[in-house]
């Protein structure tokens, strides 16, 4: 997914400057990529397990949610509580994802449309 080089040429012929090219061509063209990257990075940070576990094993209060969940399930043998913790994390990830989608819908609401709601010209 990239921006078609012919669009840059067309905007230059229409007299658009670099800021107008960015706002009307580049940003709407990479909107899906930006949204996906942000959602995956934030949900991935919620599920950080490997590096903190290898480095600290949750010692001295440095455990992430996943490390604590692992300790509850395997060390304390409280599998039901660990399952409930996993469901809470799932709900939290869903809520954050929905909030991100609403945020990006708000941020990108005017890209590619003019005031009448139809597709806009370049400048």
């Amino acid at each position: 997914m990239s921006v078609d080089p012919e669009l840059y040429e067309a905007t230059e012929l229409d007299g658009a400057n670099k800021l107008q090219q960015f706002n009307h061509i580049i940003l709407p063209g990479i909107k899906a990529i930006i949204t996906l990257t942000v959602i995956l990075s934030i949900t991935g940070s919620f599920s950080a397990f490997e590096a903190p576990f290898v480095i600290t094993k949750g010692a001295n209060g440095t455990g992430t949610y996943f490390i604590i969940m692992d300790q509850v399930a395997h060390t304390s043998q409280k599998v039901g509580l660990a399952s409930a913790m996993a469901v809470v994390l799932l709900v939290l990830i869903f809520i954050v994802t929905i909030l991100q989608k609403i945020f990006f819908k708000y941020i990108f609401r005017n890209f590619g449309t003019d005031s009448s709601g139809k597709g806009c010209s370049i400048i």
Side-chain angles (χ1 to χ4, degrees), residues 45-76:
S45 67
F46 276 132
S47 60
F49 176 77
E50 207 169 276
F53 185 75
V54 169
I55 294 170
T56 66
K57 294 189 179 169
N60 301 325
T62 59
T64 63
Y65 193 79
F66 263 76
I67 291 175
I68 294 169
M69 194 167 45
D70 177 63
Q71 290 172 348
V72 167
H74 297 107
T75 306
S76 302

Side-chain angles (χ1 to χ4, degrees), residues 9-95:
E9 184 179 349
T11 57
E12 287 177 10
L13 291 174
D14 286 341
N17 61 24
K18 294 294 183 187
L19 181 63
Q20 290 170 330
Q21 283 181 353
F22 181 78
N23 284 339
H24 297 287
I25 301 297
I26 298 171
L27 199 56
I30 61 173
K31 176 177 76 168
I33 296 169
I34 293 171
T35 304
L36 179 67
T37 302
V38 170
I39 288 173
L40 289 179
S41 65
I42 290 179
T43 56
S45 67
F46 276 132
S47 60
F49 176 77
E50 207 169 276
F53 185 75
V54 169
I55 294 170
T56 66
K57 294 189 179 169
N60 301 325
T62 59
T64 63
Y65 193 79
F66 263 76
I67 291 175
I68 294 169
M69 194 167 45
D70 177 63
Q71 290 172 348
V72 167
H74 297 107
T75 306
S76 302
Q77 298 295 317
K78 296 179 182 176
V79 180
L81 178 59
S83 297
M85 291 172 71
V87 170
V88 168
L89 182 65
L90 177 70
V91 169
L92 182 66
I93 288 173
F94 278 149
I95 291 170

